[in-house]
Amino acid sequence: MNLRTPSAPEVLDAQQRLNGIAVRTPLLRSDALDEQLGLRLLVKAECLQHTGAFKFRGAYNCLAQLSPGTYPGGVVAYSTGNHGQAIATVARMLRLRATIVMPADAPRVKMAAAERQGATVVTYDRQSERREAIAGEIAHRIGALVVPPGDHPDIITGQGTACLEALQDLAPSTTVDAVVVPCGGGGLAAGTCLAVAAHGAQSAVWAAEPEAFDDTRRSLAAGERLVNARLNGSICDALLAPTPAELPFAINRRRLAGVLTATDSQVRAAMRLLFRELRLVAEPGGAMALAALLAQPAQFAGKTVVALVSGGNVDPHVFVEALLAE
Amino acid sequence: MNLRTPSAPEVLDAQQRLNGIAVRTPLLRSDALDEQLGLRLLVKAECLQHTGAFKFRGAYNCLAQLSPGTYPGGVVAYSTGNHGQAIATVARMLRLRATIVMPADAPRVKMAAAERQGATVVTYDRQSERREAIAGEIAHRIGALVVPPGDHPDIITGQGTACLEALQDLAPSTTVDAVVVPCGGGGLAAGTCLAVAAHGAQSAVWAAEPEAFDDTRRSLAAGERLVNARLNGSICDALLAPTPAELPFAINRRRLAGVLTATDSQVRAAMRLLFRELRLVAEPGGAMALAALLAQPAQFAGKTVVALVSGGNVDPHVFVEALLAE
């Protein structure tokens, strides 16, 4: 794995690479949300990105830089879903072979989407097997590159382009006090920190995690990478990385303002609000930043806050449950 | 009412007026949709516009041109919902009073949203009362301007800016064969025809109506404006205008390529596809253009088609019903 720490200006390079390729997703707002939260909220709708998640950005930024022919077996990704789907889609665009290692309990829509893109899907048991080991073994056998969801500088800077766009799309007179992003392994948070620096902004970047899966919050407090007690048991399937990824953690510990958390119930409330007020389909993990603002609104009272909705790949029955949970 | 026929270049003026005010909504695509339909589909996601519908564009373009003080009573709109909500929102932005006349069976979310914007909502019975008469009487009494949903040149050219953006956002090498838009009174279709001309494109513009509410299709065939046999009985509440509006019809009869129709069942299928493949929340009427393509795909086989998703204001139980109808 390439663990070189990327510099902030590399987010600008990534944006050049993605120009005309990624969807320039809109920044949305509503009076009703502002009134409910007591702050000025801007929602970056990355659920509208290709493959339904910001992961497309990092995947393209990374794979587009591979030298042709270096990896005859193409690329291998292990993923709770969205990263794998992004790698599969980008590999098809760039005519690379792709193998995706997914937990056996990942949403069916995510597996089907990867296979539709021509990728080979290999499943594993989240409780008893290590995805990194399986991916490494396959890559060695077929001559492929393992593309991790966070531990690569080009993945991190690619993810950062979402926040960069949001800052660029605002009038120069608008000061963004805080940017809140969902956090699993921490790659999006790290890229967002670099994007804020690349834009010359002073915005505080906050990561948001499921309450019982707050590995990044505890790791930052401890100064070392800690693991979650459990590996499942939250509806936020996209945010259940067992521990912070190494390279993102090195960036986040220096640059992150802090970590917020929210419960599954607050996540469902955020999904309902995004549906009703902004006509967005968010998957549970995708709604985590807004859920964290719902959980801790006082901390941001009167501030201008960008919340990133990171993905929208959700099984219909999970979405229906959130809509009707009120 | 101002029934001056607008010229195509006025759509460009409207775009200038809306620049930085309206959301530049994204143009989205998916391999799965292309494969299912057998064509190259580009979805203009106007469900992400302010107020959740394209109606914001026409409302702003019209109200922003009113001379201050001419109408002490502000503006009056009659509407199945989205137009009224747009007028209420824009009136608040421009500090005008607003009165909205809505059918008593309109979705609750639409009434609540108008009231939240500070508008006065007056309801009427769709079967026994004429909304135009009620609006006219109120306007006369309080010194207000009636802003019709279609019969105004500035409304029509404002609505046209959605299609204009879509055409501008494509590479110059992309030829759009057809643009399909949902059709109630016909204002969006008329504006879209003007937008195609303003852009210098040759795209055929198709209107899409609910099967049992095909007043525009029959009116074009007859050469005069005919009425629908019924005034309710489709899930597409936004498309149940009783007859084509006069000014849009004058434009549509010269410029429209034709009219497509779809059933409620096809509309629900389109809503499901938009949820699953593009993470969009479409209201029933908003999904009509895609529903019509699902109903008549052979007509557009191999073509490049822009389908406009016109709105996303849908009661949760209606949306859930569509998701689970499969």
Side-chain angles (χ1 to χ4, degrees):
Chain A
M1 285 192 277
N2 179 346
L3 293 183
R4 175 184 63 79
T5 304
S7 69
E10 287 179 55
V11 181
L12 303 171
D13 301 337
Q15 186 174 46
Q16 286 302 313
R17 230 165 263 129
L18 287 164
N19 187 25
I21 306 282
V23 178
R24 192 166 184 112
T25 55
L27 198 59
L28 304 173
R29 60 166 305 283
S30 101
D31 290 340
L33 284 177
D34 285 2
E35 281 161 31
Q36 174 160 353
L37 290 165
L39 50 83
R40 185 181 173 207
L41 180 70
L42 300 156
V43 171
K44 177 67 171 171
E46 275 296 296
C47 46
L48 301 170
Q49 191 50 262
H50 294 309
T51 73
F54 73 96
K55 297 277 189 180
F56 177 87
R57 296 176 181 267
Y60 188 87
N61 188 49
C62 183
L63 269 56
Q65 296 182 68
L66 296 181
S67 308
T70 311
Y71 297 99
V75 291
V76 178
Y78 51 88
S79 165
T80 49
N82 285 331
H83 172 62
Q85 192 168 327
I87 292 290
T89 300
V90 171
R92 188 193 204 185
M93 289 170 67
L94 298 172
R95 298 172 190 279
L96 296 164
R97 284 177 61 191
T99 304
I100 312 297
V101 180
M102 287 192 188
D105 61 347
R108 289 184 306 279
V109 288
K110 297 185 180 180
M111 291 191 200
E115 286 174 338
R116 205 164 53 210
Q117 295 293 345
T120 304
V121 173
V122 177
T123 60
Y124 73 98
D125 177 57
R126 218 193 267 266
Q127 302 296 328
S128 64
E129 296 184 280
R130 281 191 61 245
R131 57 188 192 172
E132 292 84 349
I134 294 171
E137 185 221 306
I138 294 169
H140 180 75
R141 178 156 39 84
I142 66 175
L145 172 71
V146 175
V147 186
D151 270 333
H152 196 293
D154 300 331
I155 295 283
I156 291 172
T157 53
Q159 320 300 39
T161 60
C163 173
L164 184 64
E165 275 181 13
L167 297 173
Q168 289 168 343
D169 284 352
L170 291 165
S173 61
T174 302
T175 299
V176 173
D177 298 301
V179 182
V180 187
V181 300
C183 182
L188 175 60
T192 302
C193 289
L194 296 179
V196 167
H199 192 67
Q202 303 296 322
S203 322
V205 178
W206 293 79
E209 294 183 304
E211 200 174 60
F213 299 84
D214 59 343
D215 49 309
T216 292
R217 188 182 66 74
R218 290 182 296 107
S219 298
L220 288 173
E224 60 174 332
R225 297 190 296 143
L226 304 178
V227 298
N228 286 315
R230 290 183 296 160
L231 295 174
N232 56 30
S234 160
I235 56 168
C236 300
D237 57 280
L239 304 181
L240 303 186
T243 186
E246 187 176 345
L247 184 52
F249 184 70
I251 296 167
N252 288 334
R253 66 186 298 183
R254 286 186 294 119
R255 295 181 182 260
L256 216 52
V259 181
L260 308 166
T261 62
T263 64
D264 280 3
S265 164
Q266 286 159 340
V267 165
R268 287 195 189 92
M271 291 169 73
R272 275 198 303 282
L273 281 173
L274 289 167
F275 165 84
R276 191 174 72 200
E277 304 300 340
L278 295 177
R279 276 68 62 179
L280 292 178
V281 175
E283 63 185 90
M288 178 53 73
L290 178 57
L293 290 171
L294 288 172
Q296 291 114 61
Q299 190 156 358
F300 300 94
K303 301 280 175 77
T304 298
V305 180
V306 170
L308 193 139
V309 172
S310 54
N313 291 309
V314 52
D315 274 340
H317 72 271
V318 174
F319 194 69
V320 166
E321 205 177 309
L323 290 194
L324 303 180
E326 213 163 8
Chain B
M1 282 194 279
N2 180 346
L3 292 185
R4 175 184 63 78
T5 303
S7 68
E10 288 179 54
V11 181
L12 303 171
D13 301 336
Q15 186 175 46
Q16 285 301 313
R17 229 165 263 129
L18 286 164
N19 187 24
I21 305 282
V23 177
R24 193 167 184 111
T25 55
L27 199 59
L28 304 174
R29 61 166 306 283
S30 99
D31 291 338
L33 284 176
D34 285 3
E35 281 160 32
Q36 174 161 354
L37 289 164
L39 49 84
R40 187 183 172 205
L41 180 70
L42 300 156
V43 171
K44 177 67 170 171
E46 275 296 295
C47 45
L48 301 170
Q49 191 50 264
H50 295 310
T51 74
F54 73 96
K55 297 277 188 179
F56 177 87
R57 296 176 182 267
Y60 187 88
N61 188 48
C62 183
L63 269 56
Q65 296 183 68
L66 296 181
S67 307
T70 311
Y71 298 100
V75 291
V76 178
Y78 50 87
S79 165
T80 49
N82 284 333
H83 172 63
Q85 192 168 326
I87 292 291
T89 300
V90 171
R92 189 195 202 186
M93 289 170 66
L94 299 172
R95 297 171 189 279
L96 296 164
R97 284 177 60 189
T99 304
I100 313 297
V101 180
M102 287 191 188
D105 60 349
R108 289 184 307 279
V109 286
K110 296 185 180 181
M111 292 190 199
E115 287 175 337
R116 206 164 51 210
Q117 295 294 343
T120 304
V121 172
V122 178
T123 60
Y124 72 98
D125 177 58
R126 219 193 265 264
Q127 302 296 327
S128 65
E129 297 184 280
R130 282 191 59 246
R131 57 188 193 170
E132 292 83 349
I134 294 171
E137 186 221 304
I138 294 169
H140 180 75
R141 180 155 41 83
I142 66 174
L145 171 71
V146 175
V147 185
D151 270 333
H152 195 295
D154 301 330
I155 295 283
I156 291 171
T157 53
Q159 319 300 39
T161 60
C163 173
L164 184 63
E165 276 181 11
L167 296 173
Q168 289 168 343
D169 283 353
L170 291 165
S173 61
T174 301
T175 299
V176 173
D177 299 301
V179 181
V180 187
V181 300
C183 181
L188 175 60
T192 302
C193 289
L194 296 179
V196 167
H199 192 67
Q202 304 297 321
S203 322
V205 178
W206 293 80
E209 294 183 306
E211 200 174 59
F213 299 85
D214 60 343
D215 49 310
T216 292
R217 188 182 67 75
R218 290 182 295 106
S219 298
L220 289 173
E224 60 174 331
R225 296 190 297 143
L226 304 178
V227 299
N228 286 315
R230 291 183 297 159
L231 296 174
N232 56 32
S234 160
I235 55 167
C236 301
D237 57 279
L239 303 181
L240 303 187
T243 186
E246 188 176 343
L247 183 53
F249 184 70
I251 295 167
N252 288 333
R253 66 186 299 183
R254 285 186 294 118
R255 295 181 182 261
L256 215 53
V259 181
L260 308 166
T261 62
T263 64
D264 280 2
S265 165
Q266 287 158 340
V267 165
R268 287 195 189 92
M271 291 169 73
R272 273 198 303 282
L273 281 174
L274 290 167
F275 165 85
R276 193 175 69 201
E277 303 301 340
L278 295 178
R279 276 66 63 178
L280 291 179
V281 175
E283 63 184 273
M288 178 52 75
L290 178 58
L293 290 171
L294 288 172
Q296 291 116 73
Q299 190 155 357
F300 300 93
K303 301 280 175 79
T304 297
V305 181
V306 170
L308 193 139
V309 172
S310 54
N313 291 308
V314 52
D315 274 339
H317 72 271
V318 174
F319 194 69
V320 166
E321 207 176 308
L323 289 194
L324 303 181
E326 213 163 6

